[in-house]
Amino acid sequence: MLTLVNTNTMRPPVGPVGLDYIAGAARCAGIEVDVVDLCLADEPLRTLESYFAGHSPQLVGVSFRNVDDCFWPSAEWFLPKLADTVSTIRSMTDAPIVVGGVGFSIFAERIVEYADTDFGIRGDGEQAIISLHNQLQGAKRFELIDGLIWRADGEVYSNRPAWPSQVSLSIDRDAVDNLAYFKRGGQGGLETKRGCNRRCLYCADPLAKGTRIRLRDPSEVADEAEVLLAKGIDVLHLCDSEFNVPRSHAYAVCEEFNRRSLGERLRWYTYMAVVPFDAELAEVMRRAGCVGIDFTGDAGCPSMLKAYHQPHHKEDLASATRICRANGITVMIDLLFGGPGETPDTVAETIGFIKQIGPDCAGAPLGIRIYPGTGMARIVAAEGRPEDNPNVRRSYADAIDFLKPTFYISHSLGERPAKLIKDLIAGDKRFFEPMEETQPEVADGSPSTDHNYNDNERLVEAILGGLRGAYWDILRKLSDE
Ligand code: B12
């Protein structure tokens, strides 16, 4: 028996899509699976106690989605809480514990050690957890399990993930209470593919999902959307790194949705690269139910687009915005401020350009989370001792460690970079402004920024009140009121 524990208790709650897929695959392989969902539990500790009092699984799988909230300066770090949960579970069962998830996969070995788990699985969890479950009952040939991290004789061993070229997933979606997540979190989630072959300077997705794009059959994706629809979940987020990479697959998925007239019954949102995008793709997406796109815009000035290794030009952002407008798709442009080479002039150019092209909204966070193994980490390494680097920011005291929330903010932005950005935004309501270090807390104790979805009470209330959709779109609607 396999017990899967969802440890992500952030609100609004986002359904643990990965756990649902893993549970489906393990059940298909004949393994009995329970999911203990700490996010939906009123009292997580009691829930664990009463579960383990009555069950003796052979393996406990613990999910770890977010290492931190990637948000400067809130910089909330979730690893200590994971370590606590693992030690609580250990006190209740002798079963070995394996941890996995997208956040986990970025740091894998470090997290196995920090949280003191027996195993970790980097990358896709479905086949690996089945193999681990079976090897634990048999020969214990851990070296045969793709993506496995394990400890023996004081050493940490690590296998590379397999990144299988075709992805076929269980579409049952019944191990997790997806309807509860829909009611409390405002959306369902599914993947159309895995992996990302882009080389964005800062992004950890290629580490967690692989650099090779691995496609799902469009009809399997549409079948899964229908399964969620049948449960009453009619607003989705397609959870790919970038839905339109490659364009041909995005197009094929939409065509399959259109063949089944799914766009008449469901609405969906997704993340997209700015290129490739054109009127033909927008039209097929809108008909298939797409109502909002969050573009990886990064910047509206050539030098910063180059710094972030983006293949698009600022004119592509203008064209993407126009195309969305013409097709009735709401458009959000996600920007990044503070990267290598950012100056007050580049910030002004980006903000001026975004105001000019007029998307429905734009994310304007300050500070770039530095992950090991990315171009960003290489730049920091080349800039000398990180502790002496004026571009590197952290809110913890000890030596710099990228496992903890650590950010890059170009020191050319001066002493008060968030204020500089806010002043340039100048109250334009379309922007989600950065959070200032000195920003006061609002009455309920949460920070007064609304673009961080980490324990965002405004969003929680709005969703409980009936709003559905991508969080940026719900917040946009709230600010229009
Ligand atoms: C879509 C998405 C969102 C959507 C979610 C919509 C939805 N309905 O699901 C929205 C916009 C809401 C969102 C919000 C946030 N997100 Co987000 N999101 C993603 C994205 C693109 C996909 C996540 C996903 O669902 N993947 C699909 C599932 C199936 O994959 P998976 O979870 O990785 O699961 C697989 C494996 O990891 C593994 N696995 C999973 N669980 C387990 C458990 C065990 C035991 C094992 C063995 C294996 C295993 O097997 C699974 C199947 O193969 C990722 C980046 C990416 N490409 O993965 C970022 C990402 C996860 N998000 C991130 C962040 C920071 C956030 C926010 C905290 C941002 C914020 N401050 O507001 C919030 C958190 C919200 C919350 N409540 O948790 C970061 C986390 C990085 C970090 N430092 O940890 C990521 C990695 C993006 C990034 N590169 O920075 N997000």
Side-chain angles (χ1 to χ4, degrees):
M1 180 192 205
L2 168 66
T3 301
L4 297 173
V5 182
N6 175 30
T7 66
N8 178 15
T9 56
M10 195 186 284
R11 292 172 356 123
V14 163
V17 185
L19 269 195
D20 217 359
Y21 286 145
I22 292 177
R27 282 177 183 166
C28 237
I31 299 170
E32 192 187 337
V33 182
D34 277 344
V35 172
V36 180
D37 196 334
L38 301 183
C39 188
L40 299 178
D42 291 332
E43 293 185 72
L45 184 60
R46 284 249 171 94
T47 301
L48 284 173
E49 273 167 2
S50 70
Y51 177 80
F52 285 109
H55 298 83
S56 305
Q58 280 142 333
L59 176 65
V60 178
V62 170
S63 68
F64 192 51
R65 181 192 196 276
N66 307 310
V67 176
D68 56 280
D69 65 7
C70 291
F71 217 85
W72 178 256
S74 78
E76 193 177 351
W77 195 41
F78 302 114
L79 213 38
K81 192 172 152 203
L82 175 76
D84 265 7
T85 307
V86 167
S87 111
T88 303
I89 294 173
R90 262 207 208 294
S91 70
M92 297 171 176
T93 174
D94 293 333
I97 299 177
V98 56
V99 57
V102 53
F104 167 81
S105 298
I106 303 171
F107 295 97
E109 293 87 351
R110 294 282 317 272
I111 294 180
V112 166
E113 289 188 280
Y114 186 99
D116 193 21
T117 64
D118 303 289
F119 302 98
I121 288 172
R122 180 156 88 87
D124 298 6
E126 290 86 353
Q127 293 317 313
I129 206 164
I130 294 170
S131 308
L132 177 60
H133 180 274
N134 294 342
Q135 285 293 347
L136 283 167
Q137 317 317 312
K140 300 191 174 52
R141 304 269 318 266
F142 300 137
E143 70 282 6
L144 299 180
I145 304 172
D146 296 322
L148 189 75
I149 290 123
W150 73 102
R151 301 193 295 172
D153 318 320
E155 300 273 327
V156 177
Y157 298 87
S158 182
N159 298 334
R160 289 150 75 107
W163 312 129
S165 60
Q166 284 290 318
V167 178
S168 176
L169 305 173
S170 157
I171 60 163
D172 295 349
R173 302 303 306 268
D174 56 4
V176 165
D177 186 348
N178 285 293
L179 187 58
Y181 278 102
F182 182 58
K183 289 180 179 160
R184 299 185 207 179
Q187 52 187 268
L190 64 76
E191 284 183 301
T192 82
K193 61 170 177 296
R194 288 184 177 159
C196 188
N197 60 9
R198 298 269 160 135
R199 291 282 188 272
C200 305
L201 183 77
Y202 48 82
C203 189
D205 284 11
L207 298 172
K209 299 277 155 188
T211 52
R212 195 156 49 114
I213 291 176
R214 305 170 288 125
L215 308 176
R216 288 181 78 188
D217 185 333
S219 63
E220 186 183 288
V221 177
D223 286 347
E224 187 176 339
E226 293 201 281
V227 166
L228 292 171
L229 253 176
K231 295 180 192 294
I233 299 163
D234 59 2
V235 182
L236 302 178
H237 195 294
L238 306 192
C239 294
D240 305 3
S241 295
E242 307 286 19
F243 176 66
N244 56 333
V245 180
R247 181 189 184 282
S248 54
H249 187 64
Y251 199 90
V253 168
C254 291
E255 277 197 312
E256 184 59 27
F257 275 34
N258 289 334
R259 211 179 55 74
R260 304 183 192 194
S261 303
L262 278 174
E264 290 163 21
R265 290 179 284 147
L266 60 76
R267 291 183 285 137
W268 51 270
Y269 295 79
T270 195
Y271 286 123
M272 293 229 307
V274 180
V275 289
F277 187 55
D278 50 64
E280 188 192 21
L281 181 59
E283 191 276 329
V284 77
M285 285 176 65
R286 180 64 196 92
R287 248 185 324 123
C290 176
V291 289
I293 300 175
D294 184 344
F295 286 103
T296 308
D298 285 8
C301 89
S303 65
M304 290 313 296
L305 285 172
K306 193 166 170 217
Y308 293 133
H309 298 176
Q310 284 305 347
H312 64 266
H313 301 285
K314 61 194 265 191
E315 295 72 25
D316 296 315
L317 276 171
S319 129
T321 304
R322 267 196 315 274
I323 292 171
C324 284
R325 288 225 175 287
N327 284 280
I329 296 174
T330 309
V331 48
M332 155 91 164
I333 297 181
D334 251 323
L335 301 167
L336 290 173
F337 287 111
E342 189 93 272
T343 64
D345 285 348
T346 59
V347 173
E349 186 178 346
T350 290
I351 292 175
F353 183 69
I354 296 296
K355 286 186 180 182
Q356 184 196 321
I357 66 174
D360 295 283
C361 48
L366 168 70
I368 294 158
R369 173 66 161 101
I370 308 166
Y371 293 111
T374 62
M376 199 68 251
R378 286 189 283 280
I379 285 184
V380 172
E383 286 177 350
R385 210 176 89 89
E387 281 77 7
D388 302 331
N389 186 338
N391 302 313
V392 176
R393 310 283 177 104
R394 65 196 195 280
S395 51
Y396 53 91
D398 26 340
I400 285 183
D401 180 353
F402 296 152
L403 185 60
K404 300 177 185 171
T406 311
F407 295 80
Y408 192 101
I409 301 178
S410 165
H411 74 285
S412 311
L413 299 185
E415 288 294 305
R416 300 185 64 188
K419 181 171 184 313
L420 173 103
I421 296 167
K422 281 182 156 186
D423 287 349
L424 287 163
I425 290 173
D428 187 325
K429 288 274 177 247
R430 292 171 298 185
F431 287 82
F432 294 110
E433 295 183 332
M435 180 177 171
E436 282 189 66
E437 274 93 341
T438 53
Q439 199 155 291
E441 293 200 336
V442 291
D444 65 3
S446 59
S448 54
T449 177
D450 56 9
H451 189 220
N452 188 351
Y453 308 146
N454 177 10
D455 288 346
N456 188 317
E457 286 307 317
R458 225 171 140 227
L459 265 178
V460 170
E461 289 304 316
I463 294 166
L464 289 178
L467 287 187
R468 302 282 178 263
Y471 296 159
W472 55 265
D473 201 24
I474 295 179
L475 291 169
R476 180 183 73 87
K477 286 176 184 147
L478 292 179
S479 81
D480 281 352
E481 278 172 3

